[in-house]
Amino acid sequence: MNHESLLDKILEIADIAGEKVMAIYQTDFEVETKEDNSPITEADIASHHVIVDGLKALTPDIPILSEESANAPWEERKNWDRFWLVDPIDGTKDFTNRTGEFTVNIALIENGEPVMGVVTAPALNEAYWGIKGQGAWKREADGSTRKLQVVNPPEAIRTVASKNHLNQETRDFIDQLGNHELVQAGSSLKFCRIAEGKADIYPRLGPTCEWDTGAAHAVLVAAGGKVNQLDGTPLAYGKEHVLNPYFVASGDWY
């Protein structure tokens, strides 16, 4: 599969979804609660439909796993060696709190590995994308584009953490790094900050699902970084249970 030939279309789909999201973001939207007590808005659903419809039209033979339609049985999913992994809005709390730090995420998974990812931050007017072995890029708010590359950390390791999920285990991990500076970021932007050299490490010692991480994982790896479980093995996708184990995202120095 020629991933590069798909990239512009995937970015276009994400941008259209972002426009739908922003139209709702600027209204007095309602927030509902899913069975797992996580928030959901009409923006999540609108983004989901734009992305799924766009992907089905673009690649009808590739199955899709989206957070808002995560009901494909394992007996079916276990045979997927390639699939789209979608989070229509990552950081719904950032959306409902109007911080602007929420993202639209589309990843292509092949044999358990994210090989292409697009992450857009509609409220910030930013976009990130990456292809395994070909590099990663960012589209700035002014429309300019630049290539991304992870960096070696400065004297104080810039540790990015969740504003909403900074638990004691994560604090203990951060403390053992030694001299560090805490960098706050929402949603999958935490990975992207490392990819663009604005942060160095993101330990996630708390629950996430595959769709929360797949697209930004691809961007970070394409920028020279890595996302490993605590035992040092790469974070994998297409598991029977979509809950991720604890992981650490970083540049190649860690």
Side-chain angles (χ1 to χ4, degrees):
M1 171 174 283
N2 186 337
H3 302 122
E4 194 171 3
S5 67
L6 290 173
L7 186 59
D8 286 346
K9 288 293 186 182
I10 300 304
L11 189 55
E12 181 181 351
I13 291 169
D15 282 338
I16 294 171
E19 291 172 4
K20 293 283 189 182
V21 166
M22 287 306 297
I24 296 168
Y25 188 63
Q26 293 160 1
T27 68
D28 187 20
F29 57 83
E30 294 185 0
V31 182
E32 298 180 5
T33 303
K34 294 192 285 189
E35 290 183 4
D36 62 359
N37 289 324
S38 62
I40 185 172
T41 72
E42 59 184 304
D44 296 85
I45 304 303
S47 178
H48 163 80
H49 285 302
V50 168
I51 294 170
V52 170
D53 290 350
L55 292 176
K56 285 181 177 178
L58 181 65
T59 56
D61 296 331
I62 300 179
I64 304 165
L65 181 65
S66 169
E67 178 178 12
E68 306 311 335
S69 62
N71 52 7
W74 173 241
E75 287 303 308
E76 177 184 340
R77 290 194 294 113
K78 70 179 183 180
N79 298 313
W80 293 359
D81 57 1
R82 176 187 290 129
F83 65 97
W84 294 109
L85 181 61
V86 175
D87 193 345
I89 297 181
D90 184 44
T92 300
K93 288 183 179 178
D94 288 289
F95 183 89
T96 59
N97 293 333
R98 299 184 188 275
T99 70
E101 292 196 326
F102 55 88
T103 55
V104 173
N105 301 263
I106 306 173
L108 181 63
I109 309 297
E110 293 182 353
N111 300 313
E113 182 181 6
V115 296
M116 179 170 66
V118 168
V119 177
T120 67
L124 305 179
N125 200 23
E126 297 175 347
Y128 301 83
W129 58 90
I131 300 175
K132 179 186 176 184
Q134 297 186 39
W137 290 264
K138 179 184 181 182
R139 186 183 67 208
E140 303 280 5
D142 63 5
S144 62
T145 300
R146 63 184 178 92
K147 191 168 186 179
L148 304 182
Q149 182 65 41
V150 297
V151 298
N152 288 324
E155 183 176 341
I157 297 171
R158 297 165 301 174
T159 307
V160 67
S162 171
K163 295 176 179 178
N164 301 311
H165 305 285
L166 188 55
N167 59 20
Q168 189 58 50
E169 282 183 284
T170 305
R171 293 180 189 276
D172 292 343
F173 181 97
I174 292 171
D175 287 343
Q176 61 88 27
L177 291 172
N179 188 14
H180 64 271
E181 171 191 350
L182 199 60
V183 178
Q184 295 282 355
S187 68
S188 58
L189 287 170
K190 293 182 281 292
F191 295 83
C192 298
R193 296 290 178 252
I194 301 172
E196 64 181 321
K198 292 184 177 179
D200 305 303
I201 191 168
Y202 164 41
R204 184 55 186 252
L205 279 63
T208 58
C209 290
E210 292 189 2
W211 44 74
D212 296 316
T213 59
H217 182 163
V219 171
L220 177 53
V221 170
K226 57 187 177 181
V227 184
N228 287 344
Q229 300 179 63
L230 298 186
D231 64 3
T233 59
L235 185 65
Y237 295 80
K239 306 182 295 294
E240 179 175 1
H241 302 290
V242 295
L243 196 67
N244 286 326
Y246 292 175
F247 64 83
V248 179
S250 68
D252 61 1
W253 60 274
Y254 180 72

